[in-house]
Amino acid sequence: MSDATVDPRFKRTAPRRPMKLSWSDERVRAIFWQVLVVGIIVAIIWWLVSNTQRNLEVRRIATGFGFLQREAGLPIAEHLIDYSPTDNYLRALIVGVLNTLKVAIVGIFLATIFGTLIGIARLSRNWLVAKIAGIYVEVIRDLPLLLQLLFWYTILQGLPGPRQAMNPIDGVFLSNRGLLLPWIQWEGAHTAALLAAVIGGVLTWMYSRLMRARQMADGQPRRVWPLGLLLVLGLPVATWALLGAPFKPDVPSLQGFNFRGGMLMSPEYFALLVGLVTYTSGFIAEIVRAGIQSVQHGQWEAAQALGLKPGVVLKQIVLPQALRVIVPPMTSQYLNITKNSSLAVAIGYQDIVSIANTTLNQTGQAIEGIAIIMAVYLSISLSISLFMNWYNSKIALVER
Amino acid sequence: MASDTTLTPVTIPAAPIEARNAPISVVGPVAWARANLFSGPVSTAVTLALGYLIIRWAIGFIDWAFINAVWSVPNNQTQACRDARGVGACWAVVTEKHRFILFGTYPYEEHWRPALACVVFVGLYIVSAMRRFWRKELALIWIAALTTIGVLMWGGVLGMPYVAQERWGGLPITLILSTFGLAFAFPLAIMVALGRRSRMPAIKAICVLYVELIRGVPLISLLFMASVMFPLFLPEGMNIDKLLRAQIAIILFAGAYLAEVVRAGLQALPKGQYEAADALGLSYWNKTGFIILPQALRMVIPPLVNTFIGFFKDTSLVLIIGIFDLLTAGKTAIVEPAWQGFGVEVYITIGLIYFAFCFAMSKYSQSLETELNQHRRR
């Protein structure tokens, strides 16, 4: 309970009574209980810590994070930064964190799109569409994620080998080695173009804020999209062209017993991504549906009666109200994807849990290994929470 | 002149006009289909495309799952299954291994005991779901049922041979982990939720720290902690069984999440209820036990059931630390070379078991929600 709602008059009329050393004084009781509970907890922790210290001495297990500088010697199949088994544990763990982020970020992105589509489909006026979406949500949410991951992984492993790979579209191969997609040979110019797109996006955002401020001042709506399009698309294309417009397609092809070229999604990563996205989109669909349904019908009708176009009704009237209901539970789903990505260890995708687990098995330093896992997830969870809370406060209803 | 004219009586036809059926374009299946399936060109196209895909996939699935399926093979000769690879399912792996999947390595001739334990579990769930049993005696029923299950599983009395915990496996483990987890996590959650709303800063801080810490990390990290760190915590010579360690981790995990659900109920209760109880001069525990909790818990029953479903599914994570629950048993059943590669069939079967439990719970939660919200509807 916050004190903000307390009437100031009550504060004035309640003089502080002197504390009596008696059981009937509420403050004495409060202090007694707090001292008791804290004392018990401290005693338990002290007992556990002293046990642990003795056990560590008896078993001659080293403590501290010195092992991070030692050579890891553990092979990691997928790494976003350069890595070889001769690198130290610290680098191996960073590779693990990046792998976790890789699957979590892509998963959050895809699950949001997919879940929103299914949530809207559940409200479709077409009975068949609504029914299929409903069945999907019900079935997906009632099966354990781990079971689904193992299921997808088994299916991917059961696919034919590279020589009989499924080839639905030219340049796309699906085999037991994973999914191969055509890509381009990445060069500095592409990185620069990507950077330019980000800068263009930021500039567009600033421009639209400026235009909005001017509109607030004189009431004249202004077009943002022509310059925005130029900044977001034109700037990167221009950068890319200036740097010589390199473009070499990297289409995978079968050579001998394996593929060459292209971008490979390993079966482990692919199964984890498919499992996480299908599972979480079932939950997101329900959140989106509830959010849309929470906007009363009268809001649609009133907006239409004002003569607003359907697109404007959705953007200016319905979405802002629905988002207020959607964002808080969506935050916990994003946190869930991140935490659930730890199930990667069951199908052999080397995320932070998998690598930290190998580390603690190799070094025997269980406490440090688990502390690392927990610290990584706590900081990821905290960052997502902070960002989503900021976003939520931005869209929250401004009350008087 | 008008006064001279007499009104001539009009004869009204004796039989009233028969009520006619509404035209077929307004009611009936045709009208329904027009409104819900073919209401416009886009809708029609979507319906036709989806209908085509559903029929095609349904035929393909029926072919695979029933028509071309191999239902049993003579003593582990899986050649028939390998021949049917890709065109038909090999349910023989389930026929052959179902006892192992359900009961793990429990002694074969004693399988009736875990089976009976599962029946007791299901009975316990059904009794707990009925509103007429929602009173204090329910706690006694729970204690009796859980004791019965313990006796059945361990044995050692009534002529049943003792079975060590390491040999338990399959469905009973899943049910034990989730049910015992719940039975212990729920009281813990209530205490933590009350503590988080306490006016005593130290107690509040401890509860906040516990809840946020647990909710910030994945369950796996707690399970790893239970499997590799717990042994270090205990004094020498004292050893806790692996199953019990996992159970403690699940209780701690579930407690934090349930506490947040309970706290939502405590917050949703109008302040007047707290003030009225204070005005009556009730002590804190009387106020909480008689006024606050009964109302607050009732409000959050549907989200509580949803959280239970989540835990039931999450117990499958013990696979990662090598405890023999339903999913682990299924995964182990296909390790044998003869049965390798038939994982899909096994996972579908296990999925059906999980689905049956979770679907029942979710339907129950939905019906409860409508029932409990009846007074709000107008």
Side-chain angles (χ1 to χ4, degrees), chain B residues 106 110-117 151-155 160-161 163:
Chain B
Y106 209 84
E110 301 289 331
H111 273 182
W112 63 272
R113 280 159 52 182
L116 197 59
V151 170
L152 277 171
M153 294 300 289
W154 267 302
M160 294 185 288
V163 179

Side-chain angles (χ1 to χ4, degrees), chain A residues 34 47 51-52 55 125-127 129 132 138 141-143 146-147 154 279 339 342-343 353 357 370 377 381, chain B residues 32 36 43 46-47 54 200 202 215-216 218 220 224 228 232-235 257 313 316 327 347 351 359 362:
Chain A
Q34 292 183 68
W47 183 69
N51 280 338
T52 310
N55 280 324
R125 259 177 285 174
N126 186 317
W127 179 84
V129 174
I132 291 174
E138 191 66 71
R141 298 202 315 164
D142 281 348
L143 294 173
L146 189 55
L147 176 72
T154 312
Y279 185 75
K339 285 185 277 175
S342 60
L343 296 184
V353 172
N357 193 30
I370 287 167
Y377 279 101
S381 299
Chain B
W32 181 87
N36 293 306
S43 183
V46 170
T47 304
I54 289 173
M200 305 182 204
R215 275 160 37 102
I220 287 198
F224 273 142
V228 297
L232 291 176
F233 283 164
L234 296 172
Y257 280 81
K313 291 185 293 179
S316 62
L327 190 55
Y347 291 139
F359 187 69
S362 104

Side-chain angles (χ1 to χ4, degrees), chain A residues 71-76 79 81-88 91-92 95:
Chain A
E71 187 183 314
L74 75 117
I76 301 177
H79 38 85
I81 53 173
D82 286 335
Y83 175 82
S84 71
T86 51
D87 284 327
N88 60 18
R91 198 168 177 88
V95 170

Side-chain angles (χ1 to χ4, degrees), chain A residues 9 13 117 129 167 188 196 198 253 275 300 332 335:
Chain A
R9 278 172 300 174
T13 50
L117 287 180
V129 174
N167 193 357
V198 173
S253 60
W300 285 93
S332 51
L335 292 174

Side-chain angles (χ1 to χ4, degrees), chain B residues 264-274 291-293 295-296 299:
Chain B
L266 293 176
Q267 273 178 348
L269 201 62
K271 217 178 164 191
Q273 295 291 327
Y274 290 86
I291 313 285
I292 308 300
L293 278 184
Q295 299 184 70
M299 264 193 272

Side-chain angles (χ1 to χ4, degrees), chain A residues 229-376:
Chain A
L229 199 69
L230 199 70
L231 282 172
V232 174
L233 280 182
L235 198 62
V237 170
T239 318
W240 174 69
L242 267 179
L243 288 167
F247 180 75
K248 285 195 207 109
D250 186 12
V251 181
S253 60
L254 188 67
Q255 285 187 2
F257 290 101
N258 212 338
F259 295 107
R260 293 193 68 174
M263 188 177 62
L264 176 73
M265 258 195 223
S266 71
E268 290 83 16
Y269 179 75
F270 194 47
L272 185 64
L273 192 64
V274 169
L276 280 177
V277 168
T278 48
Y279 185 75
T280 315
S281 60
F283 290 86
I284 291 182
E286 279 298 273
I287 294 170
V288 169
R289 180 183 68 108
I292 293 175
Q293 277 181 335
S294 74
V295 181
Q296 285 161 13
H297 210 68
Q299 297 286 330
W300 285 93
E301 291 165 349
Q304 279 163 355
L306 286 174
L308 298 178
K309 290 180 209 149
V312 179
V313 176
L314 196 69
K315 184 167 166 259
Q316 305 282 10
I317 310 289
V318 177
L319 267 187
Q321 299 187 61
L323 275 180
R324 253 172 238 147
V325 180
I326 290 174
V327 167
M330 204 72 132
T331 310
S332 51
Q333 286 309 319
Y334 290 169
L335 292 174
N336 278 349
I337 288 197
T338 315
K339 285 185 277 175
N340 283 337
S341 71
S342 60
L343 296 184
V345 66
I347 56 172
Y349 175 71
Q350 284 169 306
D351 74 328
I352 177 67
V353 172
S354 167
I355 289 174
N357 193 30
T358 317
T359 306
L360 75 87
N361 283 336
Q362 285 181 353
T363 60
Q365 290 186 273
I367 298 173
E368 287 83 356
I370 287 167
I372 289 171
I373 298 179
M374 290 190 161
V376 167

